[in-house]
Every structure is written in C-alpha cells, then in structure tokens.
mmCIF file of all heavy atoms in Angstrom:
data_model
loop_
_atom_site.group_PDB
_atom_site.id
_atom_site.type_symbol
_atom_site.label_atom_id
_atom_site.label_comp_id
_atom_site.label_asym_id
_atom_site.label_seq_id
_atom_site.Cartn_x
_atom_site.Cartn_y
_atom_site.Cartn_z
ATOM 1 N N VAL N 17 17.871 -111.082 -3.876
ATOM 2 C CA VAL N 17 16.980 -111.158 -2.727
ATOM 3 C C VAL N 17 17.822 -111.491 -1.498
ATOM 4 O O VAL N 17 18.675 -112.367 -1.548
ATOM 5 C CB VAL N 17 15.912 -112.264 -2.934
ATOM 6 C CG1 VAL N 17 15.074 -112.459 -1.678
ATOM 7 C CG2 VAL N 17 15.042 -111.948 -4.134
ATOM 8 N N LYS N 18 17.576 -110.779 -0.408
ATOM 9 C CA LYS N 18 18.259 -111.078 0.848
ATOM 10 C C LYS N 18 17.336 -111.967 1.670
ATOM 11 O O LYS N 18 16.332 -111.524 2.197
ATOM 12 C CB LYS N 18 18.589 -109.781 1.582
ATOM 13 C CG LYS N 18 19.563 -108.933 0.811
ATOM 14 C CD LYS N 18 19.744 -107.576 1.437
ATOM 15 C CE LYS N 18 20.611 -106.733 0.519
ATOM 16 N NZ LYS N 18 20.441 -105.330 0.697
ATOM 17 N N TYR N 19 17.689 -113.260 1.750
ATOM 18 C CA TYR N 19 16.872 -114.223 2.462
ATOM 19 C C TYR N 19 17.161 -114.165 3.956
ATOM 20 O O TYR N 19 18.292 -113.924 4.371
ATOM 21 C CB TYR N 19 17.147 -115.640 1.954
ATOM 22 C CG TYR N 19 16.604 -115.882 0.567
ATOM 23 C CD1 TYR N 19 17.392 -115.667 -0.563
ATOM 24 C CD2 TYR N 19 15.295 -116.311 0.385
ATOM 25 C CE1 TYR N 19 16.885 -115.881 -1.836
ATOM 26 C CE2 TYR N 19 14.787 -116.524 -0.883
ATOM 27 C CZ TYR N 19 15.586 -116.309 -1.996
ATOM 28 O OH TYR N 19 15.080 -116.509 -3.236
ATOM 29 N N PRO N 20 16.137 -114.423 4.792
ATOM 30 C CA PRO N 20 16.378 -114.474 6.233
ATOM 31 C C PRO N 20 17.219 -115.696 6.588
ATOM 32 O O PRO N 20 17.261 -116.674 5.835
ATOM 33 C CB PRO N 20 14.965 -114.588 6.832
ATOM 34 C CG PRO N 20 14.086 -115.033 5.729
ATOM 35 C CD PRO N 20 14.749 -114.643 4.438
ATOM 36 N N ASP N 21 17.881 -115.630 7.714
ATOM 37 C CA ASP N 21 18.778 -116.700 8.158
ATOM 38 C C ASP N 21 17.992 -117.746 8.952
ATOM 39 O O ASP N 21 18.155 -117.895 10.160
ATOM 40 C CB ASP N 21 19.906 -116.107 9.005
ATOM 41 C CG ASP N 21 20.990 -117.124 9.295
ATOM 42 O OD1 ASP N 21 21.072 -118.121 8.549
ATOM 43 O OD2 ASP N 21 21.737 -116.936 10.262
ATOM 44 N N ARG N 22 17.083 -118.420 8.254
ATOM 45 C CA ARG N 22 16.289 -119.484 8.858
ATOM 46 C C ARG N 22 15.743 -120.363 7.736
ATOM 47 O O ARG N 22 15.732 -119.988 6.580
ATOM 48 C CB ARG N 22 15.145 -118.911 9.705
ATOM 49 C CG ARG N 22 14.093 -118.169 8.899
ATOM 50 C CD ARG N 22 12.942 -117.685 9.790
ATOM 51 N NE ARG N 22 11.822 -117.204 9.015
ATOM 52 C CZ ARG N 22 11.622 -115.945 8.652
ATOM 53 N NH1 ARG N 22 12.494 -115.027 9.016
ATOM 54 N NH2 ARG N 22 10.567 -115.596 7.951
ATOM 55 N N THR N 23 15.270 -121.545 8.095
ATOM 56 C CA THR N 23 14.645 -122.433 7.128
ATOM 57 C C THR N 23 13.284 -121.860 6.740
ATOM 58 O O THR N 23 12.497 -121.506 7.617
ATOM 59 C CB THR N 23 14.475 -123.846 7.721
ATOM 60 O OG1 THR N 23 15.769 -124.342 8.087
ATOM 61 C CG2 THR N 23 13.847 -124.796 6.717
ATOM 62 N N LEU N 24 13.027 -121.758 5.450
ATOM 63 C CA LEU N 24 11.776 -121.185 4.972
ATOM 64 C C LEU N 24 10.735 -122.256 4.716
ATOM 65 O O LEU N 24 11.060 -123.381 4.352
ATOM 66 C CB LEU N 24 12.022 -120.416 3.669
ATOM 67 C CG LEU N 24 12.915 -119.196 3.762
ATOM 68 C CD1 LEU N 24 13.192 -118.638 2.378
ATOM 69 C CD2 LEU N 24 12.289 -118.137 4.648
ATOM 70 N N LYS N 25 9.468 -121.885 4.910
ATOM 71 C CA LYS N 25 8.357 -122.759 4.566
ATOM 72 C C LYS N 25 7.304 -121.929 3.831
ATOM 73 O O LYS N 25 7.341 -120.692 3.876
ATOM 74 C CB LYS N 25 7.782 -123.446 5.799
ATOM 75 C CG LYS N 25 7.249 -122.525 6.862
ATOM 76 C CD LYS N 25 6.835 -123.320 8.096
ATOM 77 C CE LYS N 25 6.228 -122.481 9.171
ATOM 78 N NZ LYS N 25 7.016 -121.436 9.714
ATOM 79 N N ILE N 26 6.378 -122.596 3.152
ATOM 80 C CA ILE N 26 5.341 -121.894 2.408
ATOM 81 C C ILE N 26 4.550 -121.004 3.368
ATOM 82 O O ILE N 26 4.174 -121.421 4.457
ATOM 83 C CB ILE N 26 4.423 -122.902 1.689
ATOM 84 C CG1 ILE N 26 5.227 -123.634 0.607
ATOM 85 C CG2 ILE N 26 3.211 -122.202 1.082
ATOM 86 C CD1 ILE N 26 4.486 -124.757 -0.075
ATOM 87 N N GLY N 27 4.329 -119.760 2.954
ATOM 88 C CA GLY N 27 3.598 -118.793 3.769
ATOM 89 C C GLY N 27 4.494 -117.857 4.557
ATOM 90 O O GLY N 27 4.031 -116.822 5.038
ATOM 91 N N ASP N 28 5.782 -118.197 4.734
ATOM 92 C CA ASP N 28 6.707 -117.300 5.438
ATOM 93 C C ASP N 28 6.842 -115.993 4.667
ATOM 94 O O ASP N 28 6.806 -115.966 3.437
ATOM 95 C CB ASP N 28 8.092 -117.934 5.571
ATOM 96 C CG ASP N 28 8.176 -118.940 6.703
ATOM 97 O OD1 ASP N 28 7.194 -119.069 7.455
ATOM 98 O OD2 ASP N 28 9.229 -119.585 6.834
ATOM 99 N N SER N 29 7.020 -114.907 5.407
ATOM 100 C CA SER N 29 7.234 -113.615 4.753
ATOM 101 C C SER N 29 8.247 -112.807 5.553
ATOM 102 O O SER N 29 8.473 -113.064 6.735
ATOM 103 C CB SER N 29 5.911 -112.856 4.620
ATOM 104 O OG SER N 29 5.385 -112.543 5.882
ATOM 105 N N TRP N 30 8.859 -111.854 4.880
ATOM 106 C CA TRP N 30 9.801 -110.936 5.511
ATOM 107 C C TRP N 30 9.855 -109.670 4.677
ATOM 108 O O TRP N 30 9.417 -109.629 3.537
ATOM 109 C CB TRP N 30 11.191 -111.563 5.679
ATOM 110 C CG TRP N 30 11.931 -111.826 4.408
ATOM 111 C CD1 TRP N 30 12.888 -111.042 3.826
ATOM 112 C CD2 TRP N 30 11.782 -112.966 3.541
ATOM 113 N NE1 TRP N 30 13.337 -111.617 2.666
ATOM 114 C CE2 TRP N 30 12.670 -112.799 2.469
ATOM 115 C CE3 TRP N 30 10.985 -114.097 3.568
ATOM 116 C CZ2 TRP N 30 12.779 -113.730 1.439
ATOM 117 C CZ3 TRP N 30 11.102 -115.026 2.542
ATOM 118 C CH2 TRP N 30 11.991 -114.830 1.499
ATOM 119 N N GLU N 31 10.366 -108.612 5.286
ATOM 120 C CA GLU N 31 10.429 -107.313 4.622
ATOM 121 C C GLU N 31 11.839 -106.754 4.708
ATOM 122 O O GLU N 31 12.602 -107.100 5.596
ATOM 123 C CB GLU N 31 9.458 -106.329 5.274
ATOM 124 C CG GLU N 31 8.013 -106.719 5.122
ATOM 125 C CD GLU N 31 7.064 -105.701 5.744
ATOM 126 O OE1 GLU N 31 7.452 -104.527 5.877
ATOM 127 O OE2 GLU N 31 5.946 -106.092 6.082
ATOM 128 N N GLU N 32 12.131 -105.881 3.772
ATOM 129 C CA GLU N 32 13.384 -105.132 3.837
ATOM 130 C C GLU N 32 13.157 -103.757 3.243
ATOM 131 O O GLU N 32 12.218 -103.536 2.481
ATOM 132 C CB GLU N 32 14.521 -105.865 3.124
ATOM 133 C CG GLU N 32 14.397 -105.918 1.626
ATOM 134 C CD GLU N 32 15.618 -106.541 0.976
ATOM 135 O OE1 GLU N 32 15.628 -107.773 0.797
ATOM 136 O OE2 GLU N 32 16.546 -105.784 0.640
ATOM 137 N N LYS N 33 13.980 -102.836 3.643
ATOM 138 C CA LYS N 33 13.938 -101.479 3.098
ATOM 139 C C LYS N 33 15.266 -101.194 2.424
ATOM 140 O O LYS N 33 16.316 -101.551 2.938
ATOM 141 C CB LYS N 33 13.691 -100.453 4.201
ATOM 142 C CG LYS N 33 12.284 -100.488 4.748
ATOM 143 C CD LYS N 33 11.974 -99.191 5.450
ATOM 144 C CE LYS N 33 10.592 -99.193 6.058
ATOM 145 N NZ LYS N 33 9.527 -99.248 5.105
ATOM 146 N N ARG N 34 15.172 -100.562 1.275
ATOM 147 C CA ARG N 34 16.376 -100.144 0.552
ATOM 148 C C ARG N 34 16.297 -98.646 0.326
ATOM 149 O O ARG N 34 15.289 -98.140 -0.147
ATOM 150 C CB ARG N 34 16.481 -100.879 -0.785
ATOM 151 C CG ARG N 34 16.618 -102.373 -0.610
ATOM 152 C CD ARG N 34 16.705 -103.074 -1.919
ATOM 153 N NE ARG N 34 16.793 -104.520 -1.725
ATOM 154 C CZ ARG N 34 16.850 -105.395 -2.704
ATOM 155 N NH1 ARG N 34 16.824 -104.983 -3.956
ATOM 156 N NH2 ARG N 34 16.932 -106.679 -2.446
ATOM 157 N N GLU N 35 17.358 -97.973 0.693
ATOM 158 C CA GLU N 35 17.393 -96.519 0.534
ATOM 159 C C GLU N 35 18.393 -96.141 -0.536
ATOM 160 O O GLU N 35 19.477 -96.713 -0.614
ATOM 161 C CB GLU N 35 17.736 -95.857 1.863
ATOM 162 C CG GLU N 35 16.665 -96.087 2.912
ATOM 163 C CD GLU N 35 16.921 -95.326 4.194
ATOM 164 O OE1 GLU N 35 17.814 -94.453 4.203
ATOM 165 O OE2 GLU N 35 16.223 -95.614 5.176
ATOM 166 N N LEU N 36 17.997 -95.197 -1.357
ATOM 167 C CA LEU N 36 18.841 -94.732 -2.448
ATOM 168 C C LEU N 36 18.888 -93.214 -2.406
ATOM 169 O O LEU N 36 17.851 -92.558 -2.330
ATOM 170 C CB LEU N 36 18.268 -95.208 -3.793
ATOM 171 C CG LEU N 36 18.971 -94.725 -5.050
ATOM 172 C CD1 LEU N 36 20.392 -95.268 -5.110
ATOM 173 C CD2 LEU N 36 18.193 -95.137 -6.276
ATOM 174 N N GLN N 37 20.085 -92.676 -2.421
ATOM 175 C CA GLN N 37 20.246 -91.232 -2.501
ATOM 176 C C GLN N 37 21.076 -90.929 -3.725
ATOM 177 O O GLN N 37 22.079 -91.584 -3.984
ATOM 178 C CB GLN N 37 20.908 -90.682 -1.244
ATOM 179 C CG GLN N 37 20.015 -90.818 -0.033
ATOM 180 C CD GLN N 37 20.475 -89.959 1.117
ATOM 181 O OE1 GLN N 37 21.405 -89.190 0.998
ATOM 182 N NE2 GLN N 37 19.797 -90.079 2.235
ATOM 183 N N ASN N 38 20.609 -89.951 -4.477
ATOM 184 C CA ASN N 38 21.263 -89.638 -5.728
ATOM 185 C C ASN N 38 21.107 -88.149 -5.993
ATOM 186 O O ASN N 38 20.189 -87.511 -5.498
ATOM 187 C CB ASN N 38 20.609 -90.453 -6.854
ATOM 188 C CG ASN N 38 21.558 -90.695 -7.997
ATOM 189 O OD1 ASN N 38 22.589 -90.065 -8.102
ATOM 190 N ND2 ASN N 38 21.195 -91.619 -8.862
ATOM 191 N N ALA N 39 21.973 -87.616 -6.792
ATOM 192 C CA ALA N 39 21.876 -86.208 -7.171
ATOM 193 C C ALA N 39 21.466 -86.128 -8.632
ATOM 194 O O ALA N 39 21.957 -86.871 -9.465
ATOM 195 C CB ALA N 39 23.207 -85.505 -6.954
ATOM 196 N N ASP N 40 20.542 -85.221 -8.920
ATOM 197 C CA ASP N 40 20.120 -84.977 -10.301
ATOM 198 C C ASP N 40 21.100 -83.966 -10.897
ATOM 199 O O ASP N 40 21.134 -82.809 -10.481
ATOM 200 C CB ASP N 40 18.692 -84.431 -10.320
ATOM 201 C CG ASP N 40 18.192 -84.167 -11.718
ATOM 202 O OD1 ASP N 40 18.972 -84.348 -12.682
ATOM 203 O OD2 ASP N 40 17.025 -83.773 -11.861
ATOM 204 N N PRO N 41 21.916 -84.381 -11.877
ATOM 205 C CA PRO N 41 22.951 -83.485 -12.399
ATOM 206 C C PRO N 41 22.392 -82.259 -13.107
ATOM 207 O O PRO N 41 23.041 -81.218 -13.139
ATOM 208 C CB PRO N 41 23.739 -84.374 -13.376
ATOM 209 C CG PRO N 41 22.883 -85.544 -13.655
ATOM 210 C CD PRO N 41 21.933 -85.686 -12.517
ATOM 211 N N THR N 42 21.182 -82.338 -13.645
ATOM 212 C CA THR N 42 20.643 -81.185 -14.373
ATOM 213 C C THR N 42 20.143 -80.097 -13.438
ATOM 214 O O THR N 42 20.260 -78.917 -13.747
ATOM 215 C CB THR N 42 19.488 -81.617 -15.313
ATOM 216 O OG1 THR N 42 18.477 -82.259 -14.541
ATOM 217 C CG2 THR N 42 19.994 -82.559 -16.377
ATOM 218 N N SER N 43 19.587 -80.472 -12.290
ATOM 219 C CA SER N 43 19.040 -79.465 -11.373
ATOM 220 C C SER N 43 19.881 -79.288 -10.117
ATOM 221 O O SER N 43 19.727 -78.306 -9.409
ATOM 222 C CB SER N 43 17.614 -79.845 -10.972
ATOM 223 O OG SER N 43 17.632 -81.024 -10.193
ATOM 224 N N GLY N 44 20.748 -80.257 -9.845
ATOM 225 C CA GLY N 44 21.554 -80.189 -8.625
ATOM 226 C C GLY N 44 20.790 -80.618 -7.384
ATOM 227 O O GLY N 44 21.300 -80.532 -6.279
ATOM 228 N N LEU N 45 19.550 -81.078 -7.556
ATOM 229 C CA LEU N 45 18.746 -81.503 -6.414
ATOM 230 C C LEU N 45 19.178 -82.881 -5.934
ATOM 231 O O LEU N 45 19.550 -83.734 -6.723
ATOM 232 C CB LEU N 45 17.266 -81.548 -6.785
ATOM 233 C CG LEU N 45 16.594 -80.227 -7.113
ATOM 234 C CD1 LEU N 45 15.164 -80.471 -7.576
ATOM 235 C CD2 LEU N 45 16.607 -79.305 -5.907
ATOM 236 N N GLN N 46 19.095 -83.074 -4.637
ATOM 237 C CA GLN N 46 19.371 -84.373 -4.035
ATOM 238 C C GLN N 46 18.074 -85.182 -4.022
ATOM 239 O O GLN N 46 17.037 -84.680 -3.607
ATOM 240 C CB GLN N 46 19.907 -84.178 -2.607
ATOM 241 C CG GLN N 46 20.476 -85.414 -1.975
ATOM 242 C CD GLN N 46 21.805 -85.840 -2.569
ATOM 243 O OE1 GLN N 46 22.419 -85.117 -3.334
ATOM 244 N NE2 GLN N 46 22.244 -87.035 -2.238
ATOM 245 N N ILE N 47 18.128 -86.401 -4.474
ATOM 246 C CA ILE N 47 16.950 -87.254 -4.544
ATOM 247 C C ILE N 47 17.127 -88.403 -3.559
ATOM 248 O O ILE N 47 18.133 -89.100 -3.592
ATOM 249 C CB ILE N 47 16.769 -87.816 -5.969
ATOM 250 C CG1 ILE N 47 16.584 -86.669 -6.960
ATOM 251 C CG2 ILE N 47 15.581 -88.778 -6.022
ATOM 252 C CD1 ILE N 47 16.684 -87.099 -8.405
ATOM 253 N N ALA N 48 16.143 -88.578 -2.671
ATOM 254 C CA ALA N 48 16.170 -89.680 -1.710
ATOM 255 C C ALA N 48 14.953 -90.557 -1.978
ATOM 256 O O ALA N 48 13.840 -90.055 -2.114
ATOM 257 C CB ALA N 48 16.146 -89.154 -0.287
ATOM 258 N N GLN N 49 15.179 -91.844 -2.073
ATOM 259 C CA GLN N 49 14.099 -92.782 -2.358
ATOM 260 C C GLN N 49 14.205 -93.966 -1.415
ATOM 261 O O GLN N 49 15.281 -94.512 -1.219
ATOM 262 C CB GLN N 49 14.210 -93.253 -3.802
ATOM 263 C CG GLN N 49 13.230 -94.331 -4.196
ATOM 264 C CD GLN N 49 13.419 -94.749 -5.638
ATOM 265 O OE1 GLN N 49 13.476 -93.913 -6.519
ATOM 266 N NE2 GLN N 49 13.546 -96.042 -5.861
ATOM 267 N N THR N 50 13.091 -94.353 -0.820
ATOM 268 C CA THR N 50 13.044 -95.540 0.027
ATOM 269 C C THR N 50 12.103 -96.547 -0.620
ATOM 270 O O THR N 50 10.973 -96.212 -0.960
ATOM 271 C CB THR N 50 12.545 -95.196 1.446
ATOM 272 O OG1 THR N 50 13.404 -94.212 2.007
ATOM 273 C CG2 THR N 50 12.532 -96.430 2.332
ATOM 274 N N THR N 51 12.586 -97.756 -0.786
ATOM 275 C CA THR N 51 11.775 -98.826 -1.350
ATOM 276 C C THR N 51 11.555 -99.881 -0.277
ATOM 277 O O THR N 51 12.514 -100.382 0.300
ATOM 278 C CB THR N 51 12.480 -99.462 -2.570
ATOM 279 O OG1 THR N 51 12.762 -98.447 -3.529
ATOM 280 C CG2 THR N 51 11.610 -100.530 -3.213
ATOM 281 N N GLY N 52 10.300 -100.172 0.001
ATOM 282 C CA GLY N 52 9.948 -101.251 0.912
ATOM 283 C C GLY N 52 9.607 -102.478 0.090
ATOM 284 O O GLY N 52 8.831 -102.396 -0.858
ATOM 285 N N ILE N 53 10.204 -103.600 0.433
ATOM 286 C CA ILE N 53 9.984 -104.832 -0.316
ATOM 287 C C ILE N 53 9.495 -105.909 0.652
ATOM 288 O O ILE N 53 10.113 -106.146 1.690
ATOM 289 C CB ILE N 53 11.270 -105.306 -1.012
ATOM 290 C CG1 ILE N 53 11.852 -104.189 -1.868
ATOM 291 C CG2 ILE N 53 10.987 -106.544 -1.868
ATOM 292 C CD1 ILE N 53 13.227 -104.471 -2.390
ATOM 293 N N ARG N 54 8.369 -106.526 0.292
ATOM 294 C CA ARG N 54 7.812 -107.606 1.116
ATOM 295 C C ARG N 54 7.843 -108.883 0.286
ATOM 296 O O ARG N 54 7.327 -108.930 -0.828
ATOM 297 C CB ARG N 54 6.387 -107.285 1.519
ATOM 298 C CG ARG N 54 5.794 -108.301 2.472
ATOM 299 C CD ARG N 54 4.435 -107.813 2.995
ATOM 300 N NE ARG N 54 3.969 -108.651 4.074
ATOM 301 C CZ ARG N 54 3.257 -109.765 3.884
ATOM 302 N NH1 ARG N 54 2.931 -110.147 2.679
ATOM 303 N NH2 ARG N 54 2.877 -110.478 4.926
ATOM 304 N N TYR N 55 8.459 -109.905 0.834
ATOM 305 C CA TYR N 55 8.568 -111.205 0.171
ATOM 306 C C TYR N 55 7.670 -112.205 0.892
ATOM 307 O O TYR N 55 7.587 -112.190 2.125
ATOM 308 C CB TYR N 55 10.004 -111.739 0.240
ATOM 309 C CG TYR N 55 11.030 -110.838 -0.390
ATOM 310 C CD1 TYR N 55 11.791 -109.975 0.385
ATOM 311 C CD2 TYR N 55 11.246 -110.857 -1.762
ATOM 312 C CE1 TYR N 55 12.744 -109.160 -0.189
ATOM 313 C CE2 TYR N 55 12.198 -110.038 -2.343
ATOM 314 C CZ TYR N 55 12.945 -109.189 -1.549
ATOM 315 O OH TYR N 55 13.881 -108.374 -2.118
ATOM 316 N N LYS N 56 7.018 -113.086 0.123
ATOM 317 C CA LYS N 56 6.217 -114.163 0.705
ATOM 318 C C LYS N 56 6.486 -115.437 -0.087
ATOM 319 O O LYS N 56 6.442 -115.431 -1.316
ATOM 320 C CB LYS N 56 4.732 -113.821 0.649
ATOM 321 C CG LYS N 56 3.858 -114.866 1.311
ATOM 322 C CD LYS N 56 2.408 -114.437 1.318
ATOM 323 C CE LYS N 56 1.554 -115.485 2.009
ATOM 324 N NZ LYS N 56 0.144 -115.096 1.993
ATOM 325 N N VAL N 57 6.796 -116.509 0.631
ATOM 326 C CA VAL N 57 7.090 -117.790 -0.019
ATOM 327 C C VAL N 57 5.780 -118.403 -0.506
ATOM 328 O O VAL N 57 4.876 -118.672 0.281
ATOM 329 C CB VAL N 57 7.809 -118.760 0.955
ATOM 330 C CG1 VAL N 57 8.067 -120.098 0.277
ATOM 331 C CG2 VAL N 57 9.110 -118.156 1.458
ATOM 332 N N LYS N 58 5.676 -118.597 -1.827
ATOM 333 C CA LYS N 58 4.476 -119.185 -2.427
ATOM 334 C C LYS N 58 4.606 -120.697 -2.589
ATOM 335 O O LYS N 58 3.656 -121.425 -2.399
ATOM 336 C CB LYS N 58 4.201 -118.554 -3.799
ATOM 337 C CG LYS N 58 3.897 -117.070 -3.759
ATOM 338 C CD LYS N 58 2.649 -116.761 -2.980
ATOM 339 C CE LYS N 58 1.416 -117.119 -3.781
ATOM 340 N NZ LYS N 58 0.172 -116.816 -3.079
ATOM 341 N N ASP N 59 5.800 -121.166 -2.972
ATOM 342 C CA ASP N 59 5.973 -122.588 -3.247
ATOM 343 C C ASP N 59 7.457 -122.889 -3.412
ATOM 344 O O ASP N 59 8.288 -121.983 -3.455
ATOM 345 C CB ASP N 59 5.225 -122.966 -4.534
ATOM 346 C CG ASP N 59 4.827 -124.438 -4.575
ATOM 347 O OD1 ASP N 59 5.237 -125.201 -3.682
ATOM 348 O OD2 ASP N 59 4.112 -124.814 -5.520
ATOM 349 N N PHE N 60 7.768 -124.177 -3.515
ATOM 350 C CA PHE N 60 9.120 -124.644 -3.798
ATOM 351 C C PHE N 60 9.064 -125.574 -4.999
ATOM 352 O O PHE N 60 8.086 -126.293 -5.190
ATOM 353 C CB PHE N 60 9.711 -125.413 -2.607
ATOM 354 C CG PHE N 60 9.888 -124.577 -1.374
ATOM 355 C CD1 PHE N 60 8.907 -124.533 -0.399
ATOM 356 C CD2 PHE N 60 11.036 -123.834 -1.190
ATOM 357 C CE1 PHE N 60 9.064 -123.765 0.736
ATOM 358 C CE2 PHE N 60 11.205 -123.062 -0.057
ATOM 359 C CZ PHE N 60 10.216 -123.028 0.910
ATOM 360 N N GLU N 61 10.114 -125.559 -5.798
ATOM 361 C CA GLU N 61 10.238 -126.490 -6.920
ATOM 362 C C GLU N 61 11.630 -127.087 -6.880
ATOM 363 O O GLU N 61 12.567 -126.457 -6.409
ATOM 364 C CB GLU N 61 10.057 -125.768 -8.263
ATOM 365 C CG GLU N 61 8.667 -125.289 -8.542
ATOM 366 C CD GLU N 61 8.544 -124.631 -9.906
ATOM 367 O OE1 GLU N 61 9.564 -124.514 -10.620
ATOM 368 O OE2 GLU N 61 7.422 -124.234 -10.254
ATOM 369 N N GLU N 62 11.760 -128.300 -7.417
ATOM 370 C CA GLU N 62 13.070 -128.936 -7.506
ATOM 371 C C GLU N 62 13.669 -128.671 -8.882
ATOM 372 O O GLU N 62 12.993 -128.798 -9.886
ATOM 373 C CB GLU N 62 12.952 -130.443 -7.300
ATOM 374 C CG GLU N 62 12.825 -130.859 -5.861
ATOM 375 C CD GLU N 62 12.903 -132.368 -5.719
ATOM 376 O OE1 GLU N 62 13.908 -132.958 -6.155
ATOM 377 O OE2 GLU N 62 11.940 -132.931 -5.183
#
C-alpha cells in the first residue's frame, strides 16, 4: 500500500491508479489494464 505523506486518522481516504500493460503471447495482442484503488482508514490497533 502506498500511504499518503501525512498523519492518518480514522475516516481518512485516498486513491491511486495502477496501470499494467502486457502482451498476450498466444494472440500477440497488447493488453492494457487500469486498476483504481480507494483506501479508507477504518481503525488502528497496537
């Protein structure tokens, strides 16, 4: 997880996008995939 550069508190949220490009060796097609990830702080434990 890539955490934001700040002190977190319960309820804080942030998003990131990850892009993946790959080639399918059987068909030769280029595959592009974008994943959006949303994180929300639920709680803290010691």
Side-chain angles (χ1 to χ4, degrees):
V17 174
K18 296 172 186 157
Y19 289 92
D21 190 21
R22 66 177 191 267
T23 301
L24 295 174
K25 60 186 183 300
I26 294 174
D28 280 354
S29 64
W30 68 97
E31 295 182 24
E32 70 175 90
K33 289 200 182 294
R34 297 179 182 178
E35 295 186 11
L36 176 64
Q37 293 196 5
N38 206 345
D40 180 357
T42 57
S43 67
L45 294 175
Q46 191 72 11
I47 299 168
Q49 174 181 310
T50 302
T51 304
I53 306 170
R54 185 172 190 273
Y55 301 98
K56 183 176 181 181
V57 178
K58 297 297 285 181
D59 205 353
F60 296 94
E61 290 182 358
E62 281 188 57

